[in-house]
Amino acid sequence: MANRNSVIDGQCAPVSDNGLVYSEILGWIDLGHARGMDILQLLYKMDIGEHGQSDYYTVSYGQTMYKDSTRRIGIGKHCTWRIKRGRSLPQRHSIALAMMMSTAMRFEALQASIPFSWRTDSGFSAEDLVSDLFGFYRAIRPNNYFPFLLLISKAEALARWDHYGPPGNYKNKLFKPLLFPDPQKNRHAVPQYGQLPNFMMSVEPFTNFASGIAEIVTDNGTQINVFTQPRTFDVKRTP
């Protein structure tokens, strides 16, 4: 769960693995969600399958939230797909995007449900899904995108926070930016959806299941970890 103390200066974003920054293009960005390590891990599993001997291989993708920073107790959502070997890299990217998007939606719904919503406002927080999507593109096409996102200073970001309130108060169930216009320019402004930059629209999530290329084995799995780290699901969130 992002709080006011999570806000950092936009100039720190390229060298920070955690924190909250504000972009005039993507709105609030959770740098923990936007690391892209989950996608790199998923693509690595696919690469192992592609170099195997079987005609088909299975991969899983999941997101987990932990009770606190000790990560001793956690719960999350996951999916498992069976993929026909011989996929091109663009096809693997398409499959990975579909797996991430479906699981992220279910994970945010889990966070937004009782009893988790009693403790956190993180479920479908304004920044969550767009940060996941940003992390996907950082993973598949590594680049320093931050100079193109019009990040603002910590002081300016805190002014947005203080004017509009926490981003968790605004539920965003779309993989689109929810923007919070500068109140110094228009004190009557309200949050509004923006447009994704072109580089974040170049991959389409996989949908052609009739082709036999991929099939869903587990669509809405739930994992619980008590005093253990997950063996398959490596994406960790702290609500």
Side-chain angles (χ1 to χ4, degrees):
M1 177 176 63
N3 55 53
R4 196 175 186 276
N5 292 332
S6 304
V7 177
I8 65 174
D9 196 286
Q11 291 184 342
C12 300
V15 294
S16 300
D17 289 335
N18 293 287
L20 200 65
V21 295
Y22 187 82
S23 157
E24 300 286 15
I25 305 299
L26 293 183
W28 289 107
I29 301 173
D30 184 325
L31 296 175
H33 281 236
R35 292 176 63 193
M37 294 302 296
D38 53 337
I39 301 302
L40 290 176
Q41 291 159 359
L42 177 56
L43 292 175
Y44 175 71
K45 296 172 190 174
M46 289 184 179
D47 188 63
I48 292 175
E50 289 293 333
H51 286 85
Q53 300 300 314
S54 300
D55 291 336
Y56 291 86
Y57 58 91
T58 59
V59 292
S60 296
Y61 171 87
Q63 295 187 2
T64 303
M65 59 179 170
Y66 283 87
K67 181 176 182 293
D68 52 41
S69 60
T70 64
R71 295 176 176 172
R72 293 179 299 174
I73 300 175
I75 187 170
K77 305 298 290 186
H78 68 267
C79 67
T80 300
W81 285 32
R82 184 172 180 260
I83 302 169
K84 187 175 183 180
R85 190 163 61 91
R87 299 307 98 218
S88 66
L89 189 57
Q91 286 177 320
R92 280 176 264 166
H93 288 168
S94 177
I95 291 170
L97 180 58
M99 294 179 73
M100 182 277 285
M101 293 178 76
S102 64
T103 301
M105 290 292 291
R106 298 187 189 283
F107 178 74
E108 295 301 329
L110 176 68
Q111 286 193 314
S113 66
I114 295 173
F116 306 106
S117 60
W118 293 342
R119 183 174 182 268
T120 175
D121 62 3
S122 184
F124 292 111
S125 183
E127 77 283 2
D128 285 336
L129 295 180
V130 74
S131 298
D132 285 337
L133 186 61
F134 180 41
F136 170 83
Y137 282 98
R138 291 181 75 192
I140 68 166
R141 296 182 185 133
N143 200 348
N144 180 15
Y145 297 103
F146 291 109
F148 307 104
L149 298 182
L150 303 181
L151 300 177
I152 64 178
S153 69
K154 179 178 180 178
E156 292 172 309
L158 289 174
R160 306 279 175 114
W161 181 291
D162 293 338
H163 179 80
Y164 291 101
N169 291 349
Y170 301 86
K171 301 308 177 184
N172 180 6
K173 296 185 178 182
L174 303 175
F175 287 87
K176 291 182 63 175
L178 186 58
L179 304 178
F180 297 81
D182 187 351
Q184 297 297 321
K185 296 180 180 179
N186 180 2
R187 63 189 181 92
H188 300 295
V190 296
Q192 58 191 23
Y193 281 106
Q195 295 296 320
L196 288 169
N198 288 336
F199 78 87
M200 289 179 63
M201 297 189 294
S202 59
V203 178
E204 291 289 334
F206 181 85
T207 58
N208 188 15
F209 294 100
S211 66
I213 288 175
E215 63 176 309
I216 299 174
V217 177
T218 302
D219 186 36
N220 187 20
T222 301
Q223 72 271 6
I224 299 175
N225 305 99
V226 180
F227 301 109
T228 61
Q229 292 287 328
R231 290 180 297 174
T232 306
F233 315 111
D234 303 302
V235 189
K236 306 172 182 68
R237 316 286 194 214
T238 300

